[in-house]
């Protein structure tokens, strides 16, 4: 498995990983999240877990389960942490805590003896309460933008987050006032996954037939869940503004995630805003349609990600890997990837997005140039191998203790 | 010839060989310090109070952080002055603060504060960034490990350097300056033990301007210097 990655990133990068992982061989590591399919977290874990195993760590991945009320509650918590004003009734919070208590009992045999436990996002955060005599280090991994959380909800969650040994955020602005170390690790994409591997030109071209797209008309694409923070309505507005000046077609690709009950409501609003325009194609693809999404991204001339809040924006990374210039919302992790005027454009309004779309559609050479730079930026900074290196470093940091210099002498010379 | 009084006995005995050069590598883990700034005054106060690791990180840690391969500024302080505060002149002044020339972190800190206070003195208002473009002070932990590779003779460096990772170059050529006496890199430190034969090589290594280069560029420059020196020697 590691050899396949060496072909993409270079043998030296893989050697580096092996050396970092050597002292961690046999370490019992458990990841816990709330969905096996759909969303960036599940995608990362699908690859991160086997890679850590290939490096000799004893890694497992557990998923907490709950009823629809539990997911309703966690979606609201998710939205509140991203700054939306939402109501959370006591009865919903009771479901949240009870579901975590039930899952804690189910997962107890795995979690109690783990050396390191990574808890992803707020859904399973309270699990820690049920392991007062835990053996290992517990790390709270927050993937979402909590730069301006609804304070009441953050205060509610903080009692659990504060009990962890460390936390991980994707960007510095998401870090909070906490007494434990707060590590910063950006997420990543997997260049060998179905969603990102190179595809034959014919397979990419089939997208036009399959979705009744016009191969002679420029194609603008946004891939993301039907979620208000992804601003799909703003995308349609930008499309309408740009279309008044230049011909184009828009494809919105949304996938459902099993822990997102709000999607269908937003999808309805999007359909209504499109108002039957034959050049607006609203697709709802299953969470495992990775190859299909890959082909659509590759068929695009420009990729949009007009989010108003964004944890990191892995769809931006995917598009950039495919050498597409991205017009992205000036927020969160999109800023780390879209270097304004170099790898794409950062925008704050539908008007701004329309202007940049028009510019790029009229400058083929700029699209190519930005796309090449975008690919290089992702290759050096946002692939799974870099992400894995930072997780290994963090685990060493947790095990070796504090201090600004930690030395791991695992080879004895001679 | 008899041994003269006062002559070091070691001159007569078989000299101890220099221990081999140990090629190490490193990885950085970045952490939040918990200090942020929205105004230029908060920025100055932050620079005054954050740990030395944080000042170091914002000058040098960027080499191992996600960044565009042709960054506009060479330190994070200058980049924020330009893009967070939109202070072009201040950004230019902060960008020329050279951590190679100013070796002490506290002297670097003082230089930054001096430049910022000069700007604060000249203005009737305090520049402020948008709320979502604040400066977040960071620091990093460095995890160091042995690659198991050794170099016994300076002539082997040309080949060895080419296979070193950018982070290994960071450890031996950038981070080394925090560890070694006189703030020199690990290669020069080791070559000194080889005697005057390597003086010219050390001089050539000292000409690399590491502040304006990426790690891959530094690796290329190092390999070129070692290769040329090896050719001249053979």
């Amino acid at each position: 498995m590691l050899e396949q990655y060496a072909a993409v990133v270079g043998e030296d990068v893989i050697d580096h990983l092996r050396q970092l992982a050597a002292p961690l061989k046999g370490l019992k590591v458990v990841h816990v999240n709330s969905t096996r399919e759909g969303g960036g977290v599940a995608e990362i874990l699908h690859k991160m877990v086997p890679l850590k195993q290939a490096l000799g760590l004893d890694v497992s991945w557990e998923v907490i389960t709950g009823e629809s009320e539990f997911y309703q509650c966690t979606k609201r918590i998710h939205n509140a942490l991203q700054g939306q004003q939402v109501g959370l009734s006591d009865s919903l919070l009771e479901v949240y805590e009870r579901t975590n208590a039930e899952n804690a009992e189910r997962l107890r045999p795995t979690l109690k003896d783990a050396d390191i436990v990574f808890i992803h996002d707020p859904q399973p955060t309270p699990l820690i309460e049920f392991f007062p005599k835990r053996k290992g280090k517990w790390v709270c991994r927050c993937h979402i933008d909590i730069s301006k959380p609804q304070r009441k909800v953050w205060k509610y969650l903080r009692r659990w987050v504060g009990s962890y040994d460390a936390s991980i955020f994707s960007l510095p602005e998401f870090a909070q006032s906490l007494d434990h170390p707060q590590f910063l690790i950006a997420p990543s994409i997997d260049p060998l996954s179905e969603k990102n591997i190179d595809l034959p030109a014919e397979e990419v071209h089939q997208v036009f037939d399959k979705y009744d797209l016009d191969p002679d008309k420029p194609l603008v694409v946004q891939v993301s869940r039907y979620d208000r923070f992804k601003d799909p309505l703003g995308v349609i507005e930008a499309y309408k503004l740009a279309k008044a000046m230049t011909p184009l077609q828009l494809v919105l690709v949304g996938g459902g995630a099993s822990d997102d009950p709000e999607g269908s409501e937003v999808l309805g609003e999007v359909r209504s805003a499109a108002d039957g325009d034959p050049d607006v194609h609203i697709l709802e693809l299953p969470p495992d349609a990775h190859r299909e999404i890959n082909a659509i991204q590759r068929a695009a001339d420009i990729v949009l990600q007009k989010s108003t809040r964004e944890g990191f924006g892995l769809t931006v990374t995917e598009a950039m890997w495919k050498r597409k210039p991205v017009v992205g919302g000036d927020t969160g992790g999109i800023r780390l990837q879209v270097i304004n005027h170099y790898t794409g454009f950062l925008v704050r309004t539908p008007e701004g997005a329309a202007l940049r779309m028009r510019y790029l559609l009229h400058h083929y050479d700029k699209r190519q140039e930005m796309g090449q730079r975008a690919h290089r930026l992702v290759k050096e900074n946002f692939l799974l191998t870099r992400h894995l290196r930072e997780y290994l470093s963090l685990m060493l940091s947790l095990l070796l203790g504090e201090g600004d210099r930690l030395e791991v002498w695992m080879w004895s010379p001679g | 010839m008899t041994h003269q009084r006062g002559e070091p006995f070691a001159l007569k005995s078989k000299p101890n060989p220099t221990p081999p050069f140990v090629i190490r590598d490193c990885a950085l883990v970045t952490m939040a310090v918990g200090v942020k700034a929205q105004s230029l005054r908060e920025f100055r106060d932050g620079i005054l109070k954050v740990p030395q690791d944080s000042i170091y990180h914002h000058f040098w840690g960027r080499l191992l952080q996600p960044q565009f391969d042709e960054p506009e500024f060479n330190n994070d302080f200058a980049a924020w002055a330009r893009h967070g505060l939109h202070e072009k002149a201040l950004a230019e002044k902060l960008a020329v603060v050279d951590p190679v020339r100013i070796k002490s972190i506290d002297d670097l800190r003082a230089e930054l504060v001096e430049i910022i206070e000069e700007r604060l003195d000249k203005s009737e208002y305090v520049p402020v960034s948008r709320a979502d473009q604040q400066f977040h002070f960071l620091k990093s932990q460095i995890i160091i490990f042995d690659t198991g590779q050794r170099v016994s003779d300076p002539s082997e460096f040309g080949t060895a350097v080419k296979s070193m990772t950018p982070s290994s170059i960071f450890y031996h050529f950038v981070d080394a300056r925090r560890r070694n006496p006189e703030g020199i890199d690990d290669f020069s430190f080791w070559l000194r033990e080889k005697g005057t034969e390597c003086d010219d090589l050390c001089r050539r290594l000292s000409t690399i301007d590491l502040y304006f280069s990426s790690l891959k560029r530094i690796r290329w420059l190092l390999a070129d210097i070692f290769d040329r020196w090896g050719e001249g020697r053979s």
Side-chain angles (χ1 to χ4, degrees):
Chain A
M1 187 177 194
L2 290 165
E3 289 69 27
Q4 291 174 298
Y5 286 92
V8 180
V9 297
E11 195 62 54
D12 59 336
V13 172
I14 303 302
D15 282 347
H16 190 98
L17 291 176
R18 287 196 177 105
Q19 286 167 341
L20 265 177
L24 300 171
K25 276 212 167 79
L27 197 76
K28 192 168 163 48
V29 179
V30 184
H31 289 270
V32 182
N33 82 325
S34 66
T35 178
R36 190 79 63 180
E37 297 294 339
V41 179
E43 275 180 40
I44 288 169
L45 289 175
H46 267 300
K47 281 302 166 81
M48 186 70 84
V49 169
L51 274 172
K52 282 184 187 164
Q53 287 166 340
L55 287 165
L57 283 74
D58 177 6
V59 188
S60 59
W61 172 13
E62 302 293 340
V63 175
I64 60 162
T65 52
E67 292 169 6
S68 63
E69 270 191 312
F70 172 71
Y71 294 111
Q72 254 180 47
C73 178
T74 57
K75 181 67 188 176
R76 286 188 192 182
I77 290 177
H78 183 108
N79 286 348
L81 291 177
Q82 295 210 107
Q84 227 177 49
Q85 289 301 315
V86 296
L88 275 165
S89 65
D90 286 349
S91 64
L92 272 184
L93 294 177
E94 196 272 322
V95 171
Y96 175 61
E97 292 177 28
R98 178 167 39 81
T99 306
N100 267 280
E102 288 162 4
N103 278 280
E105 287 319 306
R106 186 172 59 81
L107 299 175
R108 186 169 297 283
T110 315
L111 296 181
K112 71 179 172 55
D113 293 326
D115 296 305
I116 299 183
V117 176
F118 290 100
I119 300 289
H120 295 265
D121 278 345
Q123 296 91 339
T125 300
L127 281 179
I128 194 165
E129 180 185 332
F130 306 99
F131 295 85
K133 292 180 182 164
R134 56 194 173 273
K135 173 192 161 203
K137 304 275 188 188
W138 282 51
V139 183
C140 181
R141 201 324 175 195
C142 179
H143 294 267
I144 56 184
D145 176 348
I146 60 162
S147 51
K148 286 181 198 156
Q150 195 182 316
R151 300 310 305 182
K152 199 174 156 193
V153 173
W154 170 243
K155 194 176 161 197
Y156 169 72
L157 279 177
R158 205 191 139 121
R159 59 177 146 151
W160 292 296
V161 177
S163 309
Y164 282 77
D165 296 291
S167 50
I168 308 174
F169 297 96
S170 297
L171 290 176
E173 41 269 55
F174 302 166
Q176 298 293 320
S177 176
L178 291 163
D179 290 333
H180 60 228
Q182 297 181 66
F183 294 94
L184 302 170
I185 299 183
S188 61
I189 59 161
D190 176 11
L192 299 179
S193 69
E194 287 284 286
K195 212 176 206 177
N196 295 306
I197 49 165
D198 277 338
L199 295 178
E202 312 81 66
E203 189 173 345
V204 174
H205 204 74
Q206 278 170 10
V207 162
F208 290 94
D209 285 339
K210 185 166 181 183
Y211 296 108
D212 196 23
L213 303 175
D214 181 349
D216 298 321
K217 210 178 256 183
L219 176 60
V220 177
V221 170
Q222 171 156 311
V223 178
S224 58
R225 289 187 203 183
Y226 292 107
D227 177 315
R228 291 188 214 293
F229 288 117
K230 312 292 182 188
D231 199 17
L233 297 178
V235 170
I236 290 180
E237 197 181 334
Y239 154 82
K240 287 178 178 169
L241 287 167
K243 200 190 177 186
M245 310 298 288
T246 188
L248 78 151
Q249 54 193 334
L250 173 69
V251 172
L252 286 170
V253 188
S258 56
D259 59 348
D260 180 9
E262 198 185 64
S264 56
E265 192 181 316
V266 178
L267 179 61
E269 292 170 21
V270 170
R271 286 195 201 287
S272 164
D275 197 22
D277 185 328
D279 281 326
V280 178
H281 303 263
I282 300 162
L283 310 181
E284 209 185 353
L285 296 182
D288 60 350
H290 300 313
R291 207 172 168 98
E292 195 80 6
I293 290 170
N294 185 349
I296 294 171
Q297 286 171 323
R298 287 182 190 277
D301 294 286
I302 302 171
V303 170
L304 294 183
Q305 188 59 57
K306 219 206 87 45
S307 309
T308 52
R309 277 291 166 91
E310 191 62 75
F312 187 74
L314 285 172
T315 51
V316 170
T317 330
E318 290 162 12
M320 289 172 64
W321 177 244
K322 290 155 193 149
R323 297 179 168 82
K324 303 298 170 187
V326 174
V327 177
D330 187 5
T331 185
I334 298 177
R335 282 184 192 151
L336 206 60
Q337 305 178 73
V338 176
I339 312 292
N340 208 8
H341 294 266
Y342 286 94
T343 61
F345 291 103
L346 293 172
V347 298
R348 288 178 176 268
T349 58
E351 289 81 358
L355 178 76
R356 298 312 187 187
M357 279 155 61
R358 279 176 56 198
Y359 172 83
L360 285 170
L361 290 175
H362 281 96
H363 293 87
Y364 174 81
D365 55 334
K366 278 285 171 199
R367 292 207 303 271
Q368 298 299 307
E369 197 182 303
M370 284 186 174
Q372 291 299 340
R373 287 198 197 113
H375 176 79
R376 209 165 63 235
L377 187 80
V378 172
K379 184 174 179 184
E380 293 185 357
N381 299 295
F382 300 118
L383 294 185
L384 188 63
T385 40
R386 186 274 311 155
H387 197 176
L388 185 54
R389 183 189 74 216
E390 292 192 314
Y391 261 102
L392 296 172
S393 306
L394 179 148
M395 286 191 263
L396 284 167
S397 167
L398 286 174
L399 298 173
L400 290 170
E402 291 178 7
D404 61 330
R405 310 180 70 79
L406 304 172
E407 301 183 347
V408 186
W409 303 132
M410 63 233 197
W411 305 97
S412 52
Chain B
M1 191 186 220
T2 54
H3 181 244
Q4 301 293 308
R5 265 186 90 179
E7 182 183 342
F9 186 73
L11 286 179
K12 288 201 72 179
S13 63
K14 193 178 172 187
N16 285 328
T18 314
F21 183 92
V22 178
I23 299 185
R24 296 194 169 115
D25 204 338
C26 71
L28 292 190
V29 276
T30 307
M31 301 159 86
V33 173
V35 177
K36 60 186 176 182
Q38 187 170 357
S39 72
L40 186 56
R41 192 166 283 147
E42 288 169 355
F43 191 44
R44 177 204 55 194
D45 294 346
I47 290 171
L48 279 169
K49 74 178 173 194
V50 293
Q52 287 193 346
D53 297 347
S54 178
I55 303 288
Y56 181 81
H57 174 91
H58 289 294
F59 272 104
W60 292 115
R62 65 180 177 85
L63 287 172
L64 285 174
Q65 296 299 309
Q67 64 169 349
F68 187 53
D69 47 8
E70 295 155 34
E72 190 180 1
F73 295 103
N74 295 298
N75 67 62
D76 296 337
F77 304 113
W80 187 68
R82 173 69 187 87
H83 296 293
L85 296 176
H86 305 286
E87 289 278 325
K88 290 183 186 175
L90 177 65
E92 286 176 11
K93 287 182 179 175
L94 291 172
V96 294
V97 175
D98 185 352
V100 179
R101 188 177 56 80
I102 306 172
K103 292 191 169 64
S104 144
I105 295 284
D106 283 330
D107 289 348
L108 268 178
R109 191 199 303 266
E111 180 72 12
L112 294 170
V113 169
E114 183 66 27
I115 292 168
I116 293 169
E117 288 194 334
E118 189 185 4
R119 170 68 188 85
L120 283 169
D121 288 346
K122 281 182 184 165
S123 177
E124 288 179 7
Y125 70 95
V126 178
V128 178
S129 75
R130 291 173 54 107
D132 65 349
Q133 288 196 316
Q134 299 180 51
F135 187 87
H136 296 264
F137 287 91
L138 309 177
K139 62 178 181 176
S140 39
Q141 252 183 342
I142 184 167
I143 316 274
I144 305 149
F145 55 94
D146 190 337
T147 64
Q149 292 167 31
R150 303 286 182 267
V151 168
S152 301
D153 188 85
S155 62
E156 298 165 19
F157 270 126
T159 308
V161 160
K162 284 174 203 143
S163 65
M164 284 167 68
T165 61
S167 47
S168 183
I169 297 287
F170 177 87
Y171 177 76
H172 288 299
F173 205 66
V174 179
D175 179 72
R177 292 159 202 258
R178 289 181 91 184
R179 292 180 270 111
N180 292 333
E182 298 166 53
I184 61 171
D185 65 273
D186 282 341
F187 303 112
S188 301
F189 190 73
W190 186 79
L191 289 166
R192 276 183 174 188
E193 299 295 312
K194 291 283 175 191
T196 54
E197 177 197 15
C198 296
D199 283 356
D200 182 49
L201 182 53
C202 291
R203 188 193 55 74
R204 290 191 218 178
L205 291 176
S206 71
T207 63
I208 295 179
D209 189 344
L210 70 166
Y211 191 48
F212 291 97
S213 304
S214 68
L215 293 169
K216 286 186 177 172
R217 169 85 181 150
I218 293 172
R219 178 170 64 187
W220 185 88
L221 291 168
L222 285 169
D224 186 56
I225 288 173
F226 284 124
D227 282 345
R228 283 171 192 265
W229 182 81
E231 285 162 16
R233 192 191 190 202
S234 57

